[in-house]
Amino acid sequence: MQFVQASFLAAAAAVAIPVIVHLLFRSQARRVNLGTLRFLKQVLERNAQRQRIMRWLLLALRMAAVAVLALLFARPYFLEASLAKDRKLLLILIDSSASMDLKNEHGRLIDQALAEAREIVGEQGPRTQIEIAYFDHAVRPLSGNVRPSADAASGDNLQSARVLMRDLPAPAASYRATNYGAAINWARDLAMRTPATRQELHIFTDLQQSGLDWTEVEPLPQQVEVQLHDLGRVAVNNLAVTEVRALQAALHPGESTAVHVTLLNSSPFPAAAQTVVLKLESGQKRLSLKERVKLEAGSTGGVTFETPALEAGLWAGTATIEADDDLAFDNTRHFAIRCAAPYRVLIVDGQPHALSLLSESYFLSAALRLAAPEESYAKAAFDVTVVPGGLDVALPELETFAVVVLANPGALSEALVRPLKSFVSAGGGLVVFGGDQVTAKSCEALRKWGLSPGDIAGPVLTNDLPFRIDVWEEHHRLLAPFEDPQHGDIRRLSFRGYTRLVVADPAATTSEQGVAPVSTHHGPRVLARFRNGDPVLTEQRVGDGAVLWCALACDRSWSEWSSSRLYVPLVHQLIRQPVGLNDGGPIRPMPIDAEHDASGDLQPGLSPQPGYWNVVNASPRESETDRCTLEDFAERFQLTLQTGESTPIGPVAQITRSDMRPHEQWHWAAIAVLALMLTEGFVANRTVS
């Protein structure tokens, strides 16, 4: 048995305290001779003998409790000497980031790392546990990792390791950045779980400086011997495209935009005028633009392209620097531009009026068109069509619209709601605003067809204190902009009335903050609530589409919010939500990093998704080819350098106090302390009585 904190064993000297206490407070009786109490004397002598035994037992329990408590803080553990004394743990980490595609006189760096790793594996004995992993921004252990065989004399382990490394192919060109912290943490976790007394860690890398500071790292255990294999090149000639940004990623047909390309020269030499090519392609239509740029050593630069007017369609683009450098993965960067007509929005006005200012949809329509009546704004995101509501009104063909808005709808027939259900199920969006006409009876068809969040209790009015919004999901994309007070505080909005929504789905129950928790179900979800707990805004999925209910009226009948500066942004967020514009729009950049690409399957380019496109690019961090020194690496991960030809890196001086040793027995000591304390209390009570 060994101890993690052996110094605490000195506290076992405290066992003398119970002895001192017993000596100081032992009972001293006076002798009194009473001749008539001979039989009582015999009883008292028997009781005194019993008391002495109980007091000695009590002293032993207290001394044992103090001793075991000291043992608890010393944290004993077993090394499993019979099994671990001749076992060895071999950890191999191979850097597979993009910069390892560099070449030297031995070929690619990743190929050289794999060849050296094969040699190390071939030198191991039969009782060696071998763990091998590639790492870039994340660690990817090999599925065929070899563990020691039960028989120490068996050679199966060594043979399996050689077969594994012999058949292990070198990875193809990577597009991912380096994260040394993730790799060190992986090795540390394995070292802490393995009882082997001999532990080695070999890291094959090019010491890229950009990979040092991305993950918090705990020191390695004391028994781990670290060997760093530096495969990098002193100087790298690399020109890279690090960013391509279109001034507008969403255009209307016939509009043009500017595209800015950011370049990096990470080499120690200036680059003569280089050609940067911008290409755009949509179906059979192609566009190519060229510019020349000079870059000083270690500097960044940029060039801006002005595109001509673009036709409707999705334009997939690339920006390429035509340079013959050492790394080809970052010479091209992808982007995309969507050129399409504004999203069509159909507003069904529940209270149309001959005077447009008095119509239910007047302020809503103006906010979406960003223009006064009879006017238009060329860059508006929405093309608004307003139709009157009612039982006998026929809706236009809904397939041409992205969102349908019901503004204070009155009675709705099933003949009107049925096509709405098909429209939403096919991917359309439905937004319903409250009002005095929104009642349980008028919305029965919506409830029957699953387009309401539950029961509609009707209008709630006040003549006293106004209603105010109290809590909302600050991380939901629809309401996240309003979490910043600089964007406006929606708690300041006051309302004289609202439509009470009774959300019946149990999945929409509120959390401690009063807002429905995030979930993946398709039932209604409360996004915001009034101070009295009633919902202000709900969202639910219906088929491939979304339905949002807003308990507020969109006109001035119940409040003056339509004249506040929050009306336009809040209305736009509501209409943008069903079409996915709040989630990033139809063009969404997706960097290749650990969050989005844990499996390592992403490739640069345009990736179609339901309703949008992902633009995948290599990490720009990997284009920074500056190297760190061995001292920088050792200081960052709390290692100590040792002299030697193979540049070994030794273990840390002392394991941290929070580290767990394998096979620790402190929990048994804790149970023993508790049992001794309980027994001591019982014996003490019996002794006193």
Side-chain angles (χ1 to χ4, degrees):
M1 177 182 290
Q2 296 193 18
F3 304 92
V4 176
Q5 296 165 327
S7 58
F8 273 98
L9 291 177
V15 298
I17 295 177
V19 178
I20 296 173
V21 172
H22 275 249
L23 291 176
L24 291 177
F25 295 99
R26 64 179 180 177
S27 60
Q28 298 178 356
R30 289 188 306 165
R31 181 179 296 273
V32 178
N33 294 321
L34 298 175
T36 59
L37 300 177
R38 179 168 59 88
F39 296 105
L40 179 60
K41 179 180 178 180
Q42 296 176 1
V43 173
L44 292 176
E45 287 179 351
R46 287 197 299 269
N47 288 341
Q49 183 179 4
R50 176 178 173 275
Q51 288 287 337
R52 283 194 297 272
I53 295 175
M54 295 294 287
R55 290 183 184 279
W56 281 111
L57 177 60
L58 184 61
L59 175 61
L61 287 172
R62 289 173 176 172
M63 294 176 65
V66 174
V68 176
L69 188 62
L71 189 67
L72 168 64
F73 284 100
R75 293 168 61 185
Y77 67 94
F78 295 113
L79 281 179
E80 289 189 338
S82 60
L83 294 177
K85 63 182 180 181
D86 59 345
R87 284 182 61 179
K88 178 180 178 181
L89 173 65
L90 177 65
L91 303 169
I92 297 179
L93 282 165
I94 302 176
D95 186 351
S96 60
S97 61
S99 61
M100 290 293 286
D101 202 47
L102 279 170
K103 296 179 180 178
N104 57 19
E105 62 273 13
H106 302 292
R108 292 196 311 158
L109 301 185
I110 186 67
D111 296 329
Q112 181 180 347
L114 197 55
E116 294 186 17
R118 290 191 180 101
E119 294 180 3
I120 293 174
V121 170
E123 297 170 356
Q124 305 307 309
R127 293 193 61 82
T128 302
Q129 176 179 337
I130 302 175
E131 300 282 352
I132 307 171
Y134 287 122
F135 75 94
D136 37 54
H137 66 254
V139 181
R140 298 180 178 85
L142 302 183
S143 58
N145 283 347
V146 182
R147 288 169 172 78
S149 58
D151 184 5
S154 173
D156 294 342
N157 175 257
L158 179 59
Q159 183 62 25
S160 299
R162 289 175 174 172
V163 171
L164 171 69
M165 297 304 294
R166 183 193 65 195
D167 298 337
L168 182 64
S174 171
Y175 302 95
R176 297 161 191 87
T178 307
N179 185 348
Y180 291 119
I184 296 293
N185 280 337
W186 174 84
R188 179 183 180 277
D189 291 343
L190 283 174
M192 295 300 300
R193 294 198 304 263
T194 305
T197 55
R198 300 171 56 204
Q199 297 184 355
E200 290 183 10
L201 170 61
H202 293 260
I203 304 176
F204 296 87
T205 181
D206 59 354
L207 288 178
Q208 194 168 15
Q209 187 173 2
S210 63
L212 291 181
D213 300 319
W214 293 96
T215 303
E216 291 298 324
V217 181
E218 292 290 335
L220 288 169
Q222 185 177 359
Q223 68 270 21
V224 180
E225 298 179 1
V226 184
Q227 176 78 36
L228 186 66
H229 302 262
D230 182 8
L231 306 175
R233 288 171 42 178
V234 176
V236 178
N237 177 29
N238 185 44
L239 300 176
V241 180
T242 58
E243 183 186 19
V244 181
R245 178 171 50 86
L247 185 61
Q248 290 179 285
L251 302 176
H252 295 163
E255 293 182 346
S256 61
T257 187
V259 179
H260 184 75
V261 180
T262 302
L263 307 167
L264 169 67
N265 179 13
S266 62
S267 68
F269 310 104
Q274 302 290 325
T275 301
V276 181
V277 181
L278 186 80
K279 293 183 178 180
L280 284 167
E281 180 178 340
S282 178
Q284 299 298 322
K285 300 181 287 290
R286 289 175 173 78
L287 175 67
S288 180
L289 303 172
K290 294 185 179 181
E291 293 285 349
R292 301 276 287 179
V293 64
K294 293 182 179 180
L295 294 171
E296 296 298 326
S299 68
T300 60
V303 59
T304 301
F305 294 89
E306 296 288 341
T307 70
L310 300 178
E311 299 180 14
L314 176 69
W315 292 83
T318 58
T320 303
I321 182 169
E322 295 183 339
D324 185 16
D325 58 2
D326 294 332
L327 286 174
F329 80 94
D330 55 7
N331 289 355
T332 298
R333 201 163 185 85
H334 299 264
F335 70 103
I337 298 174
R338 178 181 179 270
C339 189
Y343 290 94
R344 297 196 67 195
V345 178
L346 176 65
I347 300 178
V348 181
D349 193 329
Q351 285 185 328
H353 197 278
L355 183 61
S356 60
L357 182 61
L358 301 179
S359 297
E360 186 77 27
S361 62
Y362 174 80
F363 294 100
L364 180 61
S365 174
L368 294 177
R369 291 188 294 105
L370 297 176
E374 310 302 331
E375 296 181 6
S376 62
Y377 176 55
K379 295 187 179 297
F382 303 107
D383 179 12
V384 180
T385 300
V386 181
V387 298
L391 288 172
D392 300 330
V393 175
L395 297 179
E397 293 295 331
L398 299 180
E399 289 77 7
T400 61
F401 293 93
V403 181
V404 174
V405 181
L406 303 181
N408 190 18
L412 298 173
S413 64
E414 290 197 25
L416 189 69
V417 174
R418 192 179 299 110
L420 272 179
K421 175 63 178 294
S422 300
F423 166 74
V424 175
S425 299
L430 175 64
V431 180
V432 183
F433 285 93
D436 55 358
Q437 298 186 139
V438 181
T439 63
K441 183 178 180 180
S442 65
C443 297
E444 174 60 24
L446 290 174
R447 188 195 64 80
K448 180 179 178 180
W449 287 88
L451 297 179
S452 71
D455 294 332
I456 309 300
V460 177
L461 304 176
T462 181
N463 293 320
D464 194 6
L465 295 177
F467 302 107
R468 295 185 186 275
I469 301 173
D470 184 37
V471 291
W472 62 88
E473 284 200 21
E474 63 272 11
H475 299 299
H476 193 281
R477 293 187 181 274
L478 192 159
L479 297 170
F482 305 103
E483 187 64 18
D484 187 351
Q486 296 183 12
H487 296 163
D489 189 357
I490 60 177
R491 290 187 178 93
R492 292 181 174 270
L493 296 175
S494 61
F495 306 91
R496 297 184 295 274
Y498 65 91
T499 298
R500 187 164 184 264
L501 308 175
V502 181
V503 179
D505 194 310
T509 54
T510 60
S511 63
E512 294 180 0
Q513 289 74 26
V515 182
V518 176
S519 61
T520 57
H521 67 85
H522 285 207
R525 171 181 173 187
V526 179
L527 304 182
R529 292 185 183 274
F530 291 109
R531 290 180 178 176
N532 62 6
D534 284 347
V536 179
L537 187 63
T538 67
E539 179 187 30
Q540 67 189 95
R541 301 295 302 180
V542 178
D544 293 331
V547 178
L548 281 84
W549 276 72
C550 180
L552 311 173
C554 58
D555 64 351
R556 301 176 60 182
S557 58
W558 285 347
S559 70
E560 300 299 326
W561 80 303
S562 58
S563 59
S564 73
R565 66 188 184 98
L566 285 170
Y567 185 78
V568 171
L570 186 53
V571 164
H572 273 251
Q573 287 292 104
L574 284 169
I575 306 303
R576 287 163 58 94
Q577 181 65 21
V579 294
L581 292 178
N582 292 335
D583 295 323
I587 307 297
R588 305 180 187 180
M590 175 180 276
I592 296 182
D593 58 19
E595 179 181 357
H596 300 103
D597 185 32
S599 63
D601 296 331
L602 282 178
Q603 297 293 323
L606 204 59
S607 174
Q609 303 294 325
Y612 63 95
W613 292 268
N614 279 331
V615 181
V616 183
N617 279 300
S619 173
R621 290 196 289 118
E622 199 64 12
S623 299
E624 303 170 7
T625 57
D626 294 340
R627 284 162 39 85
C628 67
T629 63
L630 296 175
E631 290 76 13
D632 292 336
F633 193 95
E635 181 180 359
R636 171 66 180 86
F637 301 113
Q638 304 181 42
L639 306 172
T640 55
L641 290 174
Q642 297 177 354
T643 58
E645 297 181 357
S646 58
T647 319
I649 298 182
V652 294
Q654 185 177 8
I655 193 167
T656 59
R657 296 301 183 193
S658 60
D659 285 340
M660 292 291 295
R661 290 288 186 135
H663 308 289
E664 281 201 33
Q665 307 298 316
W666 63 266
H667 51 283
W668 294 110
I671 294 174
V673 169
L674 180 61
L676 287 170
M677 296 297 291
L678 293 175
T679 306
E680 188 272 343
F682 174 77
V683 173
N685 290 335
R686 295 296 298 269
T687 302
V688 173
S689 62

